[in-house]
Amino acid sequence: MMAADDSQRPGWTFLTNHAHVFIALARDPERRLREVAVEVGITERSTQSIVADLEAAGYLRRLRVGRRNRYEVHPDLPLRHPAERDHSVGELLGVFTTRHTGAP
């Protein structure tokens, strides 16, 4: 059995990039997408596309605060896959962060 360490990046993960971006913004709603992209390990453009997907589906709302964006998470919506639709995204966020909403 191989030991996992930082030098070995997995070929796959249990969470999608959409989940990683969503969790990062739930943890810090004022975070810049450039920072989220670095954390997730994807391009800033991919991060912007994911945020647009999350917004279009109603899971995330972008609020303009001065020259910055703030992201509001909507935790009561169901997970998208039919096998998990009876669970909310808030339940998923609860596993990874204690902050479930983007509310101030």
Side-chain angles (χ1 to χ4, degrees):
M1 195 162 153
M2 292 176 56
D5 64 15
D6 290 343
S7 67
Q8 296 177 335
R9 297 204 84 193
W12 60 275
T13 65
F14 282 101
L15 299 177
T16 66
N17 287 340
H18 279 67
H20 289 295
V21 169
F22 190 66
I23 291 166
L25 292 174
R27 286 180 178 155
D28 185 356
E30 295 180 4
R31 199 150 181 215
R32 292 194 162 131
L33 293 187
R34 175 179 5 167
E35 297 166 350
V36 172
V38 169
E39 177 183 325
V40 175
I42 59 177
T43 65
E44 188 173 351
R45 186 169 183 122
S46 292
T47 305
Q48 291 167 346
S49 178
I50 289 170
V51 167
D53 288 346
L54 293 169
E55 281 185 287
Y59 291 97
L60 198 64
R61 182 172 163 215
R62 184 184 336 223
L63 305 167
R64 195 75 175 159
V65 180
R67 295 174 53 196
R68 301 276 310 262
N69 288 323
R70 177 173 177 60
Y71 299 91
E72 180 180 274
V73 170
H74 296 201
D76 297 331
L77 294 175
L79 292 168
R80 292 176 54 98
H81 194 280
E84 292 94 29
R85 283 197 65 77
D86 57 334
H87 296 279
S88 72
V89 293
E91 291 177 66
L92 176 70
L93 292 176
V95 172
F96 295 100
T97 180
T98 57
R99 186 176 189 155
H100 289 251
T101 67

